Amino acid sequence: MKNKIALVTGATSGIGKACAITLAKLGYNIIATGRRSERLTDLGSELPKSIDYLPLVFDVREREKVLEILGSLPENWKEIDVLINNAGNAHGMDPIQKGSLDDWDAMMDINVKGLLYVSKAIIPGMTERNSGTIINIGSIAGKEVYPNGNVYCGSKHAVDAITKGMRIDLNPYGIKVMAIHPGLVETEFSLVRFKGDEKRSESVYQGFEPLHAQDIADIVEFSVTRPPHVVIADVVVFPTAQATSTIVKKD
Ligand code: NDP
Ligand code: 8X3
C-alpha cells in the first residue's frame, strides 16, 4: 500500500516542523511549506529516508501563488490525506489604540486568509474522494481575549469559527475537521511577535515549563491514528502552569 500524504504549512520551525517530523515517522509522505527554503531543505535531512518529501516555498498571503502551486502538484502528490493549517504568528502586542496597521494586516492575511487560500486549494480533492483530515492550529487566543491581544485574538477566533464551519460543511463527505488550541508553546512565536527582541521573547517562557512543539505534534499523532469513526474535534492544551491566557504560575 502506498504511503498517505500529509501537507503541513509553516513547517520551517516550531509546531509545524515537529508535526512534519512526527507524521513522517508515522509513515506519511510529507509536503512541507514555508518561506525559508533553506529551513525546508534542512527539514528534509531530518526525515526518515523511507518516506518521500516535497518542500514547497511560498508565502501563504500570496493568493494566486498558493492556488497555482497547490493546484499543480505532481500527479503522485495530489491526494492529500492530512492537511495541517499551521502557518501563522502574532505580530506586535499593543493596545488597540496604538496597534500598527501593518501588524494587523499580517495577522489577518496570514492566520486567516492564508489558511483559507491553502484550504481552498486542498479541500476539493478531499470532497472528490470523500476522505481527508484537516487540522487547524488555533490558539487559546481563539477561545479567550487577553489585554493587548486584540487582533491576534480576533484572527484566532476566526480560525475557531472557520474550523466549526468546515466541520459542518464537510460533514456529508466524511472529512474529519479538528482544531488544536495551544496555550504557551516555546517556539519562534514570541521572537516574531516581539520583532526579534530575544530578551523579551525569552521572558515569556521563564519561571515555568511551557509546552514544547512536540507536545502539539503528539496530539496530532493521537488524532490521525484514531479509527475512521472518531474525530478529535477540538482540543485546548496548556502547560500545567497555565490556567487561562493570563494566569500562569511562575516560580
Ligand atoms: P513559529 O514562529 O515557530 O512558526 C511559524 C511558522 O509559520 C513558520 O514555519 C513560518 O515559516 C510560518 N509562516 C509564518 N508566516 C508565514 C507566511 N506569510 N507564509 C508562509 N508561512 C508562514 O511559531 P509556532 O510554531 O509557535 O506557530 C505555529 C502556529 O501555532 C501559529 O498558527 C501560531 O499562531 C500557533 N500557536 C502558537 C502558540 C505558541 O505559544 N507558540 C500557541 C497557540 C497557537 P516561514 O517564516 O519560513 O515562512
Ligand atoms: C499563542 C499563545 O497566549 O500568546 O497563540 O495567545 S498566546
Side-chain angles (χ1 to χ4, degrees):
M1 220 176 80
K2 65 180 175 127
N3 290 351
K4 289 185 167 184
I5 299 172
L7 189 162
V8 184
T9 68
T12 57
S13 82
I15 294 169
K17 181 177 175 185
C19 290
I21 293 171
T22 296
L23 288 165
K25 286 181 181 163
L26 284 178
Y28 283 82
N29 290 336
I30 300 294
I31 303 176
T33 86
R35 292 166 300 177
R36 290 170 286 181
S37 60
E38 337 73 60
R39 295 264 194 124
L40 289 177
T41 306
D42 293 347
L43 172 62
S45 62
E46 292 189 52
L47 302 178
K49 300 286 165 275
S50 51
I51 63 114
D52 292 332
Y53 177 52
L54 179 65
L56 295 176
V57 180
F58 59 81
D59 185 325
V60 293
R61 285 173 291 194
E62 292 182 34
R63 185 167 100 169
E64 296 316 321
K65 210 164 174 187
V66 172
L67 296 178
E68 184 197 312
I69 291 176
L70 295 181
S72 56
L73 290 171
E75 209 49 49
N76 54 331
W77 285 99
K78 279 191 196 305
E79 296 193 358
I80 289 157
D81 296 286
V82 174
L83 166 61
I84 306 209
N85 276 316
N86 164 77
N89 271 124
H91 293 261
M93 199 178 176
D94 302 302
I96 198 78
Q97 65 276 17
K98 293 196 175 150
S100 134
L101 283 174
D102 286 343
D103 285 344
W104 295 355
D105 278 345
M107 290 185 279
M108 298 313 278
D109 289 349
I110 299 167
N111 302 355
V112 183
K113 290 165 72 182
L115 178 150
L116 289 171
Y117 298 159
V118 172
S119 302
K120 177 75 179 162
I122 303 304
I123 288 174
M126 291 184 171
T127 53
E128 234 169 71
R129 297 190 307 277
N130 290 300
S131 80
T133 297
I134 300 170
I135 303 179
N136 294 329
I137 305 298
S139 169
I140 188 56
K143 301 285 190 183
E144 300 176 14
V145 178
Y146 52 81
N148 304 326
N150 44 64
V151 177
Y152 178 65
C153 295
S155 75
K156 289 298 182 175
H157 273 69
V159 171
D160 189 36
I162 290 165
T163 304
K164 289 171 183 157
M166 284 181 175
R167 194 176 307 116
I168 293 165
D169 296 345
L170 299 176
N171 173 267
Y173 301 93
I175 294 169
K176 298 187 186 191
V177 179
M178 70 173 291
I180 303 174
H181 303 278
L184 294 153
V185 191
E186 188 165 16
T187 61
E188 293 175 16
F189 177 85
S190 289
L191 203 58
V192 174
R193 168 171 255 179
F194 300 126
K195 303 178 194 301
D197 183 337
E198 286 182 15
K199 229 170 153 190
R200 191 170 176 199
S201 157
E202 279 165 16
S203 74
V204 173
Y205 309 107
Q206 273 161 7
F208 72 104
E209 180 160 8
L211 291 171
H212 308 291
Q214 188 58 45
D215 296 319
I216 311 307
D218 289 346
I219 296 170
V220 166
E221 172 168 354
F222 180 77
S223 305
V224 301
T225 52
R226 290 313 85 205
H229 69 287
V230 179
V231 59
I232 307 298
D234 204 51
V235 175
V236 172
V237 53
F238 283 141
T240 305
Q242 184 171 14
T244 71
S245 55
T246 51
I247 299 175
V248 181
K249 181 178 174 294
K250 296 200 177 191
D251 299 337

